[in-house]
Amino acid sequence: MSGAIGRRSLLAAGGAAALVPWLPAWAQPIASGLPTVGGADIRLSIAHRMLSVDGRTSHAIGINGTIPGPLVRLKEGTTARLHVTNVLPDEDSSIHWHGLILPFHMDGVPGISFPGIAPGATFTYEFPVRQSGTYWYHSHSGLQEQMGHYGPIVIDPADPDPVAYDREHVIVLSDHSALHPHGIFKKLKQMGGYFNHNKQTLAGLIAGRDQPLNDRVAWGAMRMDPTDISDVTAAAYTYLVNGHGPADNWTGLFAAGERVRLRVINASAMTTFNIRVPELAMTVVQADGLNVRPVKVGEFQIGVAETYDVIVEPEDRAYSIIAENSDRSGMARATLAPRPGMTAPVPPLRARPLATMRDMGMGDMSMDHGAMGHGMTAPGEPMRHGMRDMKGAPSVKDTPAVQSISPMPVDRTGEPGQGLEDVADALTYRDLVALDRNPDTRVPSREMQIHLTGNMERYMWAFDGVKMNEVTAPIPFTLGERVRVTLVNDTMMTHPIHLHGHFFELVTGKGDHAPRKHTVNVQPGGKVTFDLTADAPGDWAFHCHLLYHMHAGMMQVVTVRAAEDAA
Amino acid sequence: MALLLLAAQPDAMAHTVSAPAPGCTAEHAAMGHCTMPKAEPPPPPPSPPCSPEHAAMGHCAMPAPPPSPGCPPEHAAMGHCTPGEPTTAPPPSPPVGNAPPPPAPRVDAADAIFGADAMAPVRARLYAEHGGGSISRIMLDQAEVRVGSGETTYSWDGEARFGGDIDKLVIKSEGEGAFGGAFDRGEGQLLWSRAIGPYFDLQTGLRQDVGPGPSPTYAVVGVEGLAPYWFDVEAALFLSDKGDVTARIEGSYDQRITQRLILQPAAELNFALQDVREQGIGAGLSSAELGLRLRYEIAREFAPYLGYVWEGKIGRSAQLARAVDDDPSRSSFVAGVRFWF
Ligand SMILES: [Cu+2]
């Protein structure tokens, strides 16, 4: 390890470092123009602009003129003061600091934390910086996030960073569309499978692809489409790295022998990415901003709004960073290279995955068949009549927003995510172990279940069958209480569920070193359990971070009140 | 920041926190603007901050524990894993309690800071916006020319929806006529459509027929939705202002041949509870239309098609037709376009 120290070199950062003298090297790469803001007073300005991706220009919303917005660089132990001006002419805006622990009224969700930022107005966010790591920020107003209103946050630790690295690159992944987000949402409402151009076909059946006939019949009986992996696909999206399309090829430079830290942020509206750097192992050192024990992987799935920091040690050659949409309809691509202009081969998209019985919540009933990658082979009654048994989920309201109830949901935190079933060295949540001991290791005093429900045909999404517009009461917590929460996914899609203002500990058998997260991907038909210490008084948003799921109603408010206040 | 620390300190991996001279930040030092004090050898760390995990990362000192099986050599070589990582599962913890949840307060914490007046409208919009939107879809499923025995005719069949997830206004229209000849028959329905389950809507409202013949008004009650095996189905019961009861069942299925080429078999059956002589309808199954259309989706919203349609009167209706020398059935080749927006 000490051998690497001699090779550390600031010189590699080159002259660009002089422009932003207090910056590490992440922003210097040739294709990136992302500026960085820091210091005692940070000014951010939200405005319309045009974005050029792979040679095509479309309308977008930028912050300080860029997409993504500038890297907000904070320091643990200081006070952040961010003056945010909304230059949009005719709509309110906001910035939510995703994953940051702060007073609820600085959290930036209009209608929950504050009234929002009116056109022309400036709102000053001020809060103590109590953590370090990789985070991000984005609009919580309307569908602005889809239009480019997002950016990275890096908080440098007050103490020396336990992660050793010579250079860092921030990798902001996103999905950009020339379609207006309201247009995308309307298409989904009009036709749930509108963007799926990889459905099963008769031609495929004859060619022996995809499900055999009896599986197709059985899935048809249940009105379930095994190709429904992503609601919005490459048919509408170009996938970006730091605002650059695959052809733009954002390039991050390094010097051979360096330990390079990639701070990967999934700032997409709708895209679950599978990330790999072919021929280069990645060591995961941080998840959702908090350090984890290093774990070496070949690929990892990142849900929307999650972050992972990985260390790579590239040799003196170029590498492609590949982030495939989990439905394999498209990819984001960037390059890591020792010198500008170098590229590495870009592997073709892999075969798109098909949902299995496990994804329908058939759990272990499907072990035999599901393990082989194609659903059921015996279209039997036991499966069919179990598809919407409301008795299996008494807390779920029987509404049209509930297309199915997982009859046998299983804990899938040991699985790497859709499309990665066959990748042996892919990360799973069970590989994550917190580096630091958990701050609260009490046994929860109560437990609760929340069901993730949806209806792909009507494009309705909700918690417990009740869309936010029909919700009558928030989800209450008493300040300081510790609660075990189980999220049960009754749908065939992966949902990245995010709780504002808190970290929670995933219950994956890691004792007092449970991995702590702000966003958790709940796999289709599966469940995830976490322990939550409700230590942040106020009202907090709780929602699926797939933007159009949230917009369709998959959102709630969590309230945390001191015991004497609750009533 | 960390990079600079590392760059500025030859022995950075020891991560000594050495206070820089006042006015000389690590940033400036890295730029060569001033000189940082040279890093001292690591002082003995205070014990609580130096957890085994941190020690393993190499930035504080602990007596080196022997590497454990949980720390593979390649990680240990990087100094990056945790000797002493537990290799056995943690002891089972006591069971989770079953305390009751607290009562749900109102969502109003922000009112105390920004004022209820400022928050109330924004909060109302937040709730309404997440799940409460309205959408329209106007679809002309069939707009076609029919060429067969007899004259060439045109026909259409479409539906428009306006509203939210549960309640919608639905307008349906279908009809046909001959080119250069008489407009034959048309109908419009104005319906309130309510979701009654994940797949089906209950629809009630009025139907008005138009055309040269009798043009009754009907009360309508029906269902529309998606049946198992992906069949789109509609069923409706009509009560005319003359007291006649008729019914209609329609179904279709989209068989994707490729992603864009879709074969759609469709069937419509009409029933009558009694004879409706002025319309040539006999009691029982009165007429049917069977179609097979092959469409090509240039876009999802725009798909030209070719097909074959058989339409005919059946049973007593067929007898009534023959009685007035009408051909009770007809088959045609069709060409048309399906579009929606
Ligand atoms: Cu979701």
Side-chain angles (χ1 to χ4, degrees):
Chain A
M1 168 118 117
S2 59
I5 297 168
R7 292 196 293 273
R8 286 166 213 289
S9 168
L10 239 204
L11 296 177
L19 300 173
V20 271
W22 39 279
L23 274 192
W26 86 271
Q28 319 317 338
I30 48 173
S32 165
L34 267 190
T36 300
V37 293
D41 284 274
I42 294 172
R43 287 174 201 286
L44 298 170
S45 168
I46 302 159
H48 288 294
R49 62 163 304 221
M50 301 306 286
L51 173 66
S52 179
V53 172
D54 288 354
R56 286 199 312 273
T57 301
S58 53
H59 175 234
I61 294 176
I63 299 163
N64 291 6
T66 66
I67 294 163
L71 170 64
V72 171
R73 190 120 204 162
L74 305 175
K75 172 90 176 169
E76 184 182 4
T78 65
T79 295
R81 201 154 53 239
L82 302 119
H83 310 279
V84 179
T85 302
N86 176 15
V87 186
L88 300 174
D90 50 11
E91 54 188 310
D92 283 10
S93 193
S94 57
I95 292 184
H96 161 61
W97 315 99
H98 187 107
L100 266 53
I101 301 302
L102 35 62
F104 81 91
H105 62 286
M106 292 291 147
D107 192 51
V109 182
I112 299 177
S113 344
F114 79 141
I117 310 174
T122 297
F123 182 83
T124 297
Y125 294 84
E126 186 168 349
F127 52 87
V129 181
R130 298 165 50 193
Q131 63 202 113
S132 63
T134 304
Y135 302 92
W136 65 298
Y137 61 92
H138 60 85
S139 172
H140 234 290
S141 300
L143 300 173
Q144 292 168 0
E145 183 194 317
Q146 173 81 87
M147 300 189 71
H149 186 330
Y150 50 80
I153 301 174
V154 173
I155 308 177
D156 293 308
D159 295 329
D161 198 325
V163 179
Y165 60 100
D166 305 298
R167 179 194 297 272
E168 62 179 346
H169 290 297
V170 174
I171 306 287
V172 180
L173 299 167
S174 62
D175 44 22
H176 171 74
S177 181
L179 299 173
H180 191 280
H182 286 122
I184 294 176
F185 188 69
K186 182 175 180 182
K187 297 295 183 200
L188 290 168
K189 275 287 190 189
Q190 290 173 323
M191 188 176 282
Y194 180 87
F195 295 103
N196 181 0
H197 292 283
N198 275 307
K199 294 185 179 180
Q200 297 194 107
T201 63
L202 191 59
L205 181 69
I206 292 164
R209 287 195 304 270
D210 304 332
Q211 290 179 324
L213 181 61
N214 54 351
D215 280 9
R216 293 184 187 216
V217 171
W219 281 64
M222 297 178 289
R223 290 162 282 194
M224 293 287 167
D225 181 354
T227 71
D228 178 22
I229 311 290
S230 293
D231 294 350
V232 190
T233 68
Y237 283 148
T238 306
Y239 301 103
L240 310 185
V241 173
N242 293 341
H244 298 271
D248 292 335
N249 189 27
W250 180 89
T251 299
L253 296 182
F254 64 88
E258 285 182 326
R259 287 168 58 85
V260 181
R261 178 180 194 161
L262 303 177
R263 297 179 180 268
V264 184
I265 299 164
N266 188 350
S268 301
M270 289 297 285
T271 306
T272 304
F273 284 109
N274 293 326
I275 297 169
R276 69 195 199 275
V277 184
E279 297 172 46
L280 194 57
M282 300 177 284
T283 303
V284 177
V285 294
Q286 198 178 86
D288 285 10
L290 301 183
N291 293 322
V292 296
R293 291 180 185 165
V295 51
K296 202 171 199 171
V297 299
E299 186 162 4
F300 64 93
Q301 182 164 97
I302 184 168
V304 173
E306 290 187 305
T307 73
Y308 282 102
D309 284 26
V310 301
I311 299 287
V312 293
E313 296 181 89
E315 295 170 19
D316 189 26
R317 49 157 285 198
Y319 298 86
S320 292
I321 300 174
I322 302 296
E324 272 181 342
N325 182 347
S326 62
D327 74 352
R328 309 262 172 88
S329 64
M331 64 165 74
R333 169 249 186 161
T335 296
L336 275 182
R339 289 169 293 283
M342 296 175 73
T343 57
V346 177
L349 290 165
R350 296 171 293 189
R352 70 111 159 73
L354 280 180
T356 66
M357 297 286 290
R358 262 172 110 67
D359 298 317
M360 261 194 295
M362 301 297 186
D364 296 323
M365 294 155 79
S366 63
M367 285 293 266
D368 298 341
H369 308 304
M372 299 190 305
H374 42 80
M376 74 199 82
T377 48
E381 275 307 306
M383 290 134 186
R384 211 172 312 158
H385 71 68
M387 276 314 291
R388 197 175 182 277
D389 184 357
M390 301 302 297
K391 287 195 293 293
S395 60
V396 175
K397 193 170 174 196
D398 187 351
T399 70
V402 184
Q403 190 172 5
S404 54
I405 294 288
S406 294
M408 198 180 281
V410 290
D411 182 338
R412 302 188 69 182
T413 55
E415 300 173 50
Q418 271 184 312
L420 296 182
E421 294 87 350
D422 300 331
V423 178
D425 56 354
L427 181 77
T428 75
Y429 281 154
R430 290 203 197 153
D431 295 329
L432 299 175
V433 182
L435 188 61
D436 295 317
R437 188 169 184 269
N438 297 151
D440 187 353
T441 57
R442 287 177 295 159
V443 174
S445 60
R446 65 181 175 100
E447 57 187 325
M448 61 183 295
Q449 267 195 2
I450 296 171
H451 285 253
L452 319 181
T453 53
N455 184 339
M456 193 62 195
E457 296 310 312
R458 298 184 187 275
Y459 209 72
M460 296 171 72
W461 301 96
F463 291 127
D464 290 332
V466 184
K467 299 181 299 169
M468 188 174 190
N469 66 307
E470 288 160 354
V471 156
T472 52
I475 301 172
F477 290 93
T478 302
L479 183 62
E481 75 168 330
R482 189 151 168 85
V483 181
R484 176 157 294 181
V485 180
T486 296
L487 303 174
V488 181
N489 191 342
D490 287 318
T491 80
M492 263 181 39
M493 312 212 79
T494 301
H495 301 278
I497 303 300
H498 172 46
L499 173 60
H500 288 222
H502 296 77
F503 282 93
F504 44 77
E505 289 80 44
L506 295 187
V507 178
T508 52
K510 299 300 187 290
D512 59 3
H513 282 70
R516 309 185 69 214
K517 298 190 96 273
H518 51 57
T519 307
V520 63
N521 243 1
V522 188
Q523 293 186 34
K527 58 184 179 182
V528 163
T529 298
F530 60 75
D531 288 345
L532 171 72
T533 299
D535 57 1
D539 298 335
W540 302 97
F542 171 68
H543 60 94
C544 176
H545 224 288
L546 297 178
L547 184 64
Y548 302 110
H549 286 194
M550 178 178 80
H551 197 67
M554 204 169 197
M555 183 171 187
Q556 244 285 27
V557 178
V558 160
T559 62
V560 179
R561 298 281 202 276
E564 60 272 22
D565 293 354
Chain B
M1 184 64 200
L3 169 64
L4 293 160
L5 276 174
L6 295 172
Q9 301 177 341
D11 196 18
M13 287 318 292
H15 282 306
T16 316
V17 190
S18 58
C24 182
T25 63
E27 293 80 355
H28 283 133
M31 296 302 299
H33 292 161
C34 58
T35 309
M36 293 267 290
K38 189 170 173 10
E40 300 294 322
S47 50
C50 188
S51 64
E53 293 76 20
H54 282 142
M57 305 299 293
H59 74 98
C60 59
M62 268 190 94
S68 78
C71 183
E74 61 272 23
H75 285 175
M78 291 157 57
H80 249 243
C81 66
T82 309
E85 184 172 344
T87 52
T88 52
S93 51
V96 172
N98 59 354
R106 293 188 343 207
V107 178
D108 61 2
D111 290 7
I113 294 158
F114 301 100
D117 291 348
M119 288 301 298
V122 187
R123 185 178 299 124
R125 204 185 321 148
L126 173 86
Y127 277 85
E129 193 172 274
H130 291 89
S134 287
I135 292 291
S136 68
R137 185 179 88 177
I138 296 158
M139 177 181 278
L140 209 52
D141 194 37
Q142 294 168 15
E144 65 194 23
V145 175
R146 298 184 177 188
V147 184
S149 44
E151 53 200 345
T152 298
T153 60
Y154 58 85
S155 79
W156 77 88
D157 189 345
E159 178 177 323
R161 307 172 180 184
F162 309 89
D165 290 321
I166 305 301
D167 294 298
K168 290 182 186 69
L169 177 73
V170 170
I171 297 167
K172 298 182 183 182
S173 177
E174 62 175 71
E176 61 203 357
F179 283 105
F183 171 64
D184 194 25
R185 182 190 76 80
E187 68 170 60
Q189 294 182 38
L190 184 66
L191 306 167
W192 167 56
S193 182
R194 182 172 174 83
I196 51 169
Y199 300 104
F200 279 89
D201 293 348
L202 177 68
Q203 299 174 333
T204 55
L206 294 174
R207 162 182 158 188
Q208 177 63 54
D209 285 4
V210 293
S215 301
T217 303
Y218 304 82
V220 184
V221 56
V223 292
E224 177 172 6
L226 182 68
Y229 303 99
W230 301 107
F231 285 98
D232 283 303
V233 298
E234 279 178 72
L237 206 58
F238 305 102
L239 172 64
S240 80
D241 49 11
K242 310 276 191 307
D244 298 320
V245 175
T246 53
R248 180 188 294 158
I249 298 174
E250 293 175 78
S252 69
Y253 179 81
D254 279 0
Q255 173 60 60
R256 267 182 303 281
I257 298 171
T258 69
Q259 296 299 332
R260 291 179 184 275
L261 193 63
I262 294 157
L263 185 67
Q264 185 198 57
E268 175 182 322
L269 301 175
N270 288 288
F271 303 85
L273 195 64
Q274 67 296 299
D275 289 354
V276 189
R277 286 196 167 263
E278 64 273 28
Q279 293 182 68
I281 295 173
L285 174 59
S286 59
S287 68
E289 181 176 309
L290 304 174
L292 193 62
R293 292 175 180 82
L294 182 66
R295 73 173 187 265
Y296 185 80
E297 290 190 346
I298 293 170
R300 282 258 193 264
E301 298 88 341
F302 185 82
Y305 63 81
L306 294 170
Y308 182 81
V309 170
W310 179 91
E311 54 199 311
K313 299 192 169 185
I314 292 170
R316 280 185 52 76
S317 298
Q319 291 168 13
L320 293 171
R322 284 192 204 94
V324 293
D325 258 358
D326 262 358
D327 191 349
S329 75
R330 177 190 185 215
S331 50
S332 341
F333 289 99
V334 303
V337 62
R338 172 181 125 125
F339 65 96
W340 59 271
F341 56 92

